[in-house]
């Protein structure tokens, strides 16, 4: 069954939303295109069904290069001459599966299969869930038997061991007084599960707003053993090996 036109349009719009800051010239605070693609990959893209989807940085880069060469039409999922026949996992699909499994290790083969279908990477009858499952088993087997396993620098095995915090400059918004002000996103993420434990948007990237996010996160999910921040001015006075006294977080 071929993908209907409306569905293709929705997927193309999703892909365009990911690269829109580059297309419209609003890219700011990124030292390189690679940094932009990594950031979009980490933040995720809203899919046609309203869920948040994560794509490999190279996939987002491929969308951008295609758009530059041929415009919006190149973002539409392409039809295939061998439609209806089983499809092997080509390099692009393997890349996407590897990215999802490596960055979201708790994501099942069924969930990965569903995401690939939802974002238009595969269509009905092209690739079976069993094929995806076999490839994931192959990935896990290779990693298990690799002498020099690739370990992420701050990877921890259990939830609430380490929460990493960071902030990101967002767009400018016009306030009721007519002025344009930049907003900042401050977020905390659990290192083991990659679950976002706290996030909020502010007009100032400072310690007071960071504490607001921390208080809310701890109230919902308990406190971690360690917080991990970079050397940003907002975080220098908040480097604790554990949470400060409860009175500070009230």
């Amino acid at each position: 069954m071929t993908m209907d036109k409306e569905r293709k349009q929705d997927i193309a719009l999703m892909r365009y939303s990911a690269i829109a800051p580059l297309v419209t010239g609003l890219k700011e605070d990124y030292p390189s295109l690679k940094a932009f693609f990594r950031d979009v990959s980490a933040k995720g893209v809203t899919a046609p069904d309203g869920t948040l989807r994560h794509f490999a940085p190279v996939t987002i880069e491929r969308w951008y290069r295609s758009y530059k060469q041929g415009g919006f039409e190149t973002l539409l999922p392409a039809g295939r001459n061998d439609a209806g026949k089983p499809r092997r996992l080509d390099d692009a699909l393997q890349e996407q599966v590897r990215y999802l499994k490596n960055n979201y290790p708790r994501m099942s083969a069924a969930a990965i299969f569903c995401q690939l279908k939802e974002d238009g990477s595969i269509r009905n009858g092209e690739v079976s869930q069993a094929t995806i499952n076999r490839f994931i088993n192959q990935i896990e087997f290779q990693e298990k038997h690799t002498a020099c396993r690739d370990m992420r620098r701050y990877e921890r095995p259990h939830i609430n061991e380490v929460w990493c915090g960071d902030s990101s400059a967002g767009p400018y918004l016009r306030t009721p007084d007519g002025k344009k002000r930049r907003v900042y996103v401050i977020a905390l993420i659990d290192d083991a599960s990659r679950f976002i434990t706290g996030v909020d948007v502010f007009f100032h990237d400072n310690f007071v707003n960071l504490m607001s996010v921390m208080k809310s996160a701890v109230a919902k999910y308990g406190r971690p053993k360690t917080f991990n921040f970079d050397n940003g001015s907002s975080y220098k006075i908040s480097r604790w090996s554990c949470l400060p006294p409860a009175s500070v977080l009230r």
Side-chain angles (χ1 to χ4, degrees), residues 119-170:
D119 64 37
S121 297
I122 58 176
R123 289 175 285 281
N124 290 340
E126 289 186 340
V127 175
S128 68
Q129 183 176 321
T131 300
I132 298 295
N133 191 48
R134 283 194 298 270
F135 182 64
I136 290 175
N137 288 338
Q138 178 184 334
I139 293 173
E140 294 174 342
F141 179 83
Q142 290 172 344
E143 291 184 350
K144 185 177 180 180
H145 291 81
T146 298
C148 299
R149 187 185 171 201
D150 180 19
M151 294 291 289
R152 278 168 284 183
R153 186 175 179 184
Y154 299 112
E155 185 181 47
R156 300 299 173 94
H158 306 295
I159 63 172
N160 275 14
E161 281 197 35
V162 175
W163 286 2
C164 299
D166 204 354
S167 61
S168 177

Side-chain angles (χ1 to χ4, degrees), residues 55-62 89-103 116 135 139:
F55 299 89
V58 292
T59 298
I60 299 168
E61 180 177 2
R62 187 164 56 246
L89 292 180
D90 57 23
D91 291 342
L93 275 175
Q94 289 186 26
E95 163 196 295
Q96 188 68 359
V97 173
R98 285 184 184 277
Y99 173 79
L100 291 171
K101 195 60 186 174
N102 289 337
N103 287 274
L116 294 173
F135 182 64
I139 293 173

Side-chain angles (χ1 to χ4, degrees), residues 69-221:
Q69 293 178 3
F72 185 80
E73 294 297 318
T74 63
L75 299 179
L76 294 167
R80 297 171 52 223
N81 294 329
D82 58 347
K85 298 180 180 179
R87 176 185 176 188
R88 296 184 62 186
L89 292 180
D90 57 23
D91 291 342
L93 275 175
Q94 289 186 26
E95 163 196 295
Q96 188 68 359
V97 173
R98 285 184 184 277
Y99 173 79
L100 291 171
K101 195 60 186 174
N102 289 337
N103 287 274
Y104 307 94
R106 289 172 175 76
M107 199 172 184
S108 66
I112 291 175
F113 178 69
C114 288
Q115 169 153 338
L116 294 173
K117 289 182 65 177
E118 288 293 329
D119 64 37
S121 297
I122 58 176
R123 289 175 285 281
N124 290 340
E126 289 186 340
V127 175
S128 68
Q129 183 176 321
T131 300
I132 298 295
N133 191 48
R134 283 194 298 270
F135 182 64
I136 290 175
N137 288 338
Q138 178 184 334
I139 293 173
E140 294 174 342
F141 179 83
Q142 290 172 344
E143 291 184 350
K144 185 177 180 180
H145 291 81
T146 298
C148 299
R149 187 185 171 201
D150 180 19
M151 294 291 289
R152 278 168 284 183
R153 186 175 179 184
Y154 299 112
E155 185 181 47
R156 300 299 173 94
H158 306 295
I159 63 172
N160 275 14
E161 281 197 35
V162 175
W163 286 2
C164 299
D166 204 354
S167 61
S168 177
Y172 286 90
L173 297 181
R174 192 174 299 278
T175 56
D177 59 7
K179 296 181 180 179
K180 291 180 67 177
R181 299 179 62 186
R182 183 189 286 279
V183 297
Y184 297 87
V185 179
I186 300 178
L188 296 170
I189 186 170
D190 178 71
D191 184 72
S193 64
R194 315 312 294 169
F195 179 75
I196 296 175
T197 56
V199 62
D200 209 339
V201 180
F202 304 93
F203 281 125
H204 298 285
D205 180 13
N206 57 31
F207 176 70
V208 173
N209 290 335
L210 169 63
M211 285 295 295
S212 174
V213 175
M214 291 170 67
K215 287 173 64 177
S216 176
V218 169
K220 291 180 180 178
Y221 305 109

Side-chain angles (χ1 to χ4, degrees), residues 59-70:
T59 298
I60 299 168
E61 180 177 2
R62 187 164 56 246
W63 296 343
Y64 175 62
R65 303 298 180 192
S66 296
Y67 182 89
K68 285 189 66 178
Q69 293 178 3

Side-chain angles (χ1 to χ4, degrees), residues 213-244:
V213 175
M214 291 170 67
K215 287 173 64 177
S216 176
V218 169
K220 291 180 180 178
Y221 305 109
R223 62 181 186 179
K225 292 182 179 179
T226 305
F227 282 101
N228 182 36
F229 303 104
D230 61 18
N231 290 319
S233 59
S234 301
Y235 308 127
K236 286 183 179 179
I237 61 175
S238 59
R239 286 172 172 265
W240 301 293
S241 60
C242 60
L243 276 179

